[in-house]
Structures are given as C-alpha cells and as structure tokens.
Amino acid sequence: MKFKFLLMILLFISNVFASNIDIKNLTQEQLETLKEIKKHGEDTGLSYTLMAIAIKESKLGQYMVNLDTKDFGLYQANIKTVLSRQNIKDTTWNRNVFASKLVSDFQFATKNAIEELTFWQKIHKNDWTKVWGSYNAGYKFNSKQAREYSKEIALIIKELKKFNV
C-alpha cells in the first residue's frame, strides 16, 4: 500500500514538472509562437490563457497529437468536440481531416480554442478556475484533475506575466 501511494505521488510530481516550460529558456521559435498566440487572443482578452494552454497541452507545439485522448493541435482540442462545434458528421474521414487541420493550421486551432474558452466563459460567468477546468474536463470542471489543471494554468499565466511574455 505504501509503495502504491509513493508511486502515485512520484507520478503526480513528474507530471506537474513535465507540464511546465521554463519561461526563461524558451527558444526563439517558442517565443515567436507565444507572440503569435498573444496577438490572436488580444481581441477576446484570452491571450494569456491561450499561451498557458499551449504550453500545458502541447509544450508550444512539441506534442501536437495525442491518439489516446483524441486531442490534437497546439491547444490539444478534442476531435469529437471540434466536429460537434463545426456541425460536421463524426466519421473517420472527418476526424482525420479536422485532426490534420488542428495540427497544421494555426489560425484554425486558435479560433477553435477561443470558441471553446468563450463557451465556458459564458457557462461559468467568467469564473476562470471553472473555465480552465472545463477546458480540460468539460462539465466535470470540479473534478480533482480539472482543479489541478486549473491551478497549473494559473501558475503558467503568472510566470508569463512575470517575464512579460
């Protein structure tokens, strides 16, 4: 029992540290990606949230495909959610087409993330803890996983602002 508990703690700690990027040591390409995200999020006030999600979800584009969860792109959008939002029939062909689009089309991926966040903003009346939790877990925004995700997004945003990214 102690071993399982210790293993769970070690896995949790490694996940927390693996999810963040050292803001001070970003490459020029990563900084350019952040600048582009920031610019696209300005009109909606979502710049820092989008940047934090891109860091958390794909490490700013290093990991754009998660076949286990069916999440794709810079912001790791769930393919079924994307198809539903686009009013596209859920077929293998459409999943492949839109997954490719999320990975290869920055504009589309960013627009989709903004739509997702805007939806949750309305549902949660701008309660950002719940908005970020819902981005990760949908209506299970109060689950332990979603609350942890929300805390991580808040910490990443704090770091981004501290370094004036």
Side-chain angles (χ1 to χ4, degrees):
M1 184 68 164
K2 281 184 181 181
F3 178 73
K4 278 186 179 180
F5 181 70
L6 183 60
L7 183 61
M8 285 175 36
I9 288 173
L10 288 173
L11 285 172
F12 172 76
I13 290 170
S14 66
N15 273 348
V16 168
F17 290 117
S19 68
N20 295 328
I21 287 181
D22 184 4
I23 304 296
K24 296 174 290 210
N25 295 318
L26 293 175
T27 66
Q28 191 57 41
E29 185 179 349
Q30 289 171 318
L31 287 170
E32 290 302 318
T33 300
L34 284 176
K35 286 178 189 173
E36 203 54 31
I37 294 168
K38 189 174 188 179
K39 184 172 75 174
H40 281 80
E42 284 176 348
D43 289 344
T44 57
L46 293 172
S47 293
Y48 280 98
T49 291
L50 289 168
M51 290 188 293
I53 289 172
I55 289 170
K56 171 74 178 139
E57 293 289 348
S58 71
K59 295 203 181 6
L60 288 172
Q62 288 180 341
Y63 304 101
M64 302 271 267
V65 174
N66 186 335
L67 294 176
D68 292 336
T69 60
K70 310 288 189 274
D71 298 331
F72 300 91
L74 189 61
Y75 311 99
Q76 290 292 290
N78 183 271
I79 195 63
K80 287 189 177 205
T81 303
V82 172
L83 291 175
S84 174
R85 179 176 297 108
Q86 299 292 321
N87 293 315
I88 303 292
K89 186 175 181 179
D90 186 357
T91 65
T92 302
W93 174 262
N94 287 337
R95 274 187 240 134
N96 289 335
V97 167
F98 280 84
S100 294
K101 196 169 180 173
L102 286 165
V103 169
S104 65
D105 186 338
F106 173 83
Q107 304 277 358
F108 177 75
T110 302
K111 181 178 176 282
N112 181 77
I114 289 170
E115 288 173 3
E116 182 74 9
L117 288 163
T118 302
F119 171 80
W120 292 116
Q121 266 185 289
K122 288 175 187 165
I123 295 293
H124 297 303
K125 297 175 179 44
N126 290 319
D127 181 334
W128 286 101
T129 301
K130 291 178 182 177
V131 172
W132 297 327
S134 285
Y135 186 88
N136 178 255
Y139 286 101
K140 296 178 183 172
F141 60 88
N142 207 23
S143 68
K144 184 176 180 182
Q145 173 190 328
R147 289 191 318 267
E148 286 300 320
Y149 180 89
S150 191
K151 286 178 191 173
E152 288 181 48
I153 294 299
L155 286 172
I156 295 169
I157 290 171
K158 185 178 177 182
E159 286 295 302
L160 288 166
K161 288 181 176 180
K162 185 166 90 175
F163 289 100
N164 199 25
V165 177

